[in-house]
Amino acid sequence: AQSVTQLDSQVPVFEEAPVELRCNYSSSVSVYLFWYVQYPNQGLQLLLKYLSGSTLVKSINGFEAEFNKSQTSFHLRKPSVHISDTAEYFCAVSEGPYNTDKLIFGTGTRLQVFP
Amino acid sequence: GAVVSQHPSRVICKSGTSVKIECRSLDFQATTMFWYRQFPKQSLMLMATSNEGSKATYEQGVEKDKFLINHASLTLSTLTVTSAHPEDSSFYICSARKLGEPSYEQYFGPGTRLTVT
């Protein structure tokens, strides 16, 4: 069975500092990997995804994540965070490409950016 | 855009009563809608998948007679928690897949906080 582990429930960081949110998964088949962000009082929004090809994927707002098959990880990074990045971040996996309906989520990491 | 709304955002009900939660895709047609449940400090757990005009598919361990799902149109799905008990208190989230988009693309609603007293 698939599972997703986000070890850090909260990550406090000062503005303009770098940040890494960790995500590890377990699966016996090839997977698609996702990061979702949830701002206060809003629904989850897809931040970035890995389906195939280049293992480094980037979002439009400066986040990037790298798929590491040997370490079964998909950590999310940003070199310099902004106050507006404060949100809950969820890592998710699906059995791609044959069962992409079902998303398995991690428990989420709350990123708190301080001025 | 692809906006999904949920109503109500918060609801408190007494034990033994039923409560209905609506999930609407506001600016697109949703072939499939998903219902998730989230306990505090835990991950979102998929409860069921519903396709317009057909019966919902429930995940293992989810009581279909307790959590009634109706997907009567391409823009509306409802989740009814019947005979609610305090252990049903949770955060319920829906998502929708847009017609013509890849199956892994889901658009999420803001969630509904249910408290059963």
Side-chain angles (χ1 to χ4, degrees):
Chain A
Q2 293 175 308
S3 66
V4 177
T5 302
Q6 291 180 251
L7 287 173
D8 306 307
S9 59
Q10 294 189 68
V11 173
V13 64
F14 287 108
E15 194 172 20
E16 297 183 6
V19 70
E20 178 179 84
L21 307 184
R22 296 179 293 170
C23 173
N24 288 88
Y25 69 93
S26 66
S27 177
S28 58
V29 298
S30 62
V31 296
Y32 288 172
L33 293 155
F34 308 87
W35 275 100
Y36 285 85
V37 58
Q38 184 176 31
Y39 299 104
N41 301 314
Q42 296 185 30
L44 278 74
Q45 301 171 33
L46 182 63
L47 184 61
L48 45 74
K49 61 181 180 284
Y50 170 78
L51 306 179
S52 65
S54 174
T55 57
L56 183 65
V57 291
K58 300 184 178 185
S59 73
I60 59 173
N61 59 351
F63 282 95
E64 62 180 36
E66 185 158 21
F67 169 54
N68 188 317
K69 188 174 182 179
S70 62
Q71 296 186 8
T72 60
S73 68
F74 191 55
H75 301 329
L76 182 69
R77 302 183 182 96
K78 189 169 185 179
S80 176
V81 295
H82 191 267
I83 294 283
S84 60
D85 294 324
T86 294
E88 188 91 20
Y89 292 80
F90 292 90
C91 182
V93 63
S94 73
E95 286 183 5
Y98 304 109
N99 186 16
T100 54
D101 268 4
K102 187 171 180 177
L103 293 173
I104 308 298
F105 285 88
T107 50
T109 298
R110 174 149 187 80
L111 175 63
Q112 181 74 52
V113 182
F114 295 96
Chain B
V3 181
V4 175
S5 70
Q6 283 185 240
H7 178 79
S9 57
R10 291 177 178 268
V11 58
I12 300 173
C13 70
K14 291 186 177 181
S15 188
T17 63
S18 295
V19 61
K20 181 186 286 187
I21 301 169
E22 291 186 350
C23 176
R24 291 181 185 274
S25 56
L26 299 184
D27 52 1
F28 66 97
Q29 292 185 324
T31 53
T32 304
M33 288 184 168
F34 305 87
W35 286 96
Y36 295 84
R37 182 174 180 177
Q38 184 181 26
F39 291 103
K41 300 193 183 301
Q42 294 188 30
S43 61
L44 283 74
M45 301 295 294
L46 180 64
M47 299 175 64
T49 302
S50 74
N51 292 292
E52 184 263 339
S54 61
K55 289 185 178 181
T57 301
Y58 290 81
E59 294 299 304
Q60 192 172 10
V62 177
E63 300 175 59
K64 61 181 181 181
D65 294 330
K66 181 168 187 60
F67 298 100
L68 300 179
I69 292 172
N70 184 277
H71 192 163
S73 77
L74 283 173
T75 60
L76 173 65
S77 176
T78 60
L79 168 67
T80 301
V81 183
T82 62
S83 187
H85 288 93
E87 57 265 30
D88 298 325
S89 297
S90 191
F91 196 55
Y92 292 87
I93 300 171
C94 74
S95 71
R97 181 195 299 162
K98 189 187 286 190
L99 185 66
E101 287 199 352
S103 58
Y104 52 77
E105 293 277 6
Q106 295 184 26
Y107 300 94
F108 287 80
T112 296
R113 173 82 56 196
L114 170 64
T115 303
V116 184
T117 60

